[in-house]
Amino acid sequence: IVLEAEPTGYPRAPVGKKRVWIDVRNQQFVAYITFDRRGEMWKSFEPGWSRYEDGTAAVKDAKGNSDWSWTYVHSHDIQANRMSRIMHTQSTTGGYKSLLSDNGVDVYNKYLTNQAITRLGQA
């Protein structure tokens, strides 16, 4: 599936359009490109997926199977010719830990409301 989106109501938005490719077999995104306001390609994102296994160590799901998810994302700023790699790690600064399931956490209210974003920005 190829999805395209354009901002509406934001005339100064730096992104003019984004295009996302999704694999219909597993509903995972395969690639993502943003275009600037002139319609030129600006940035591309490409994820890597794998099981969480490393030799004898593995992260298991509730059924005992090795979990899998994204492990990294390559982000290429095409216009500046700069590459970044985003890694999926166990934890990050501030004590945040990566979870493969919500474990009862109200993610929306904890991280995505205006109040939560303000609170998190104060840290």
Side-chain angles (χ1 to χ4, degrees):
I1 297 173
V2 179
L3 302 174
E4 285 192 355
E6 296 181 20
T8 59
Y10 298 93
R12 294 179 27 186
V15 174
K17 177 172 66 173
K18 65 181 176 181
R19 184 178 295 149
V20 182
W21 286 263
I22 299 172
D23 186 332
V24 296
R25 296 169 296 179
N26 57 18
Q27 289 80 48
Q28 302 300 324
F29 90 92
V30 179
Y32 171 18
I33 295 178
T34 59
F35 297 83
D36 64 17
R37 289 173 32 181
R38 298 180 315 246
E40 303 289 326
M41 277 199 293
W42 181 14
K43 294 182 182 179
S44 70
F45 300 86
E46 180 182 319
W49 305 84
S50 71
R51 292 187 176 275
Y52 285 133
E53 298 176 337
D54 184 14
T56 58
V59 176
K60 305 282 186 173
D61 65 15
K63 295 179 182 178
N65 300 312
S66 295
D67 260 324
W68 73 276
S69 183
W70 69 277
T71 53
Y72 67 87
V73 175
H74 288 158
S75 175
H76 182 208
D77 183 330
I78 297 162
Q79 294 179 4
N81 198 26
R82 294 185 62 190
M83 179 73 87
S84 299
R85 183 175 183 207
I86 304 161
M87 295 177 59
H88 195 176
T89 61
Q90 288 183 336
S91 62
T92 188
T93 305
Y96 298 101
K97 295 186 189 242
S98 181
L99 300 172
L100 294 174
S101 64
D102 66 14
N103 289 336
V105 175
D106 182 359
V107 174
Y108 179 78
N109 286 308
K110 188 169 183 178
Y111 299 107
L112 301 173
T113 64
N114 285 334
Q115 294 84 1
I117 292 168
T118 300
R119 181 186 71 250
L120 293 168
Q122 307 273 332

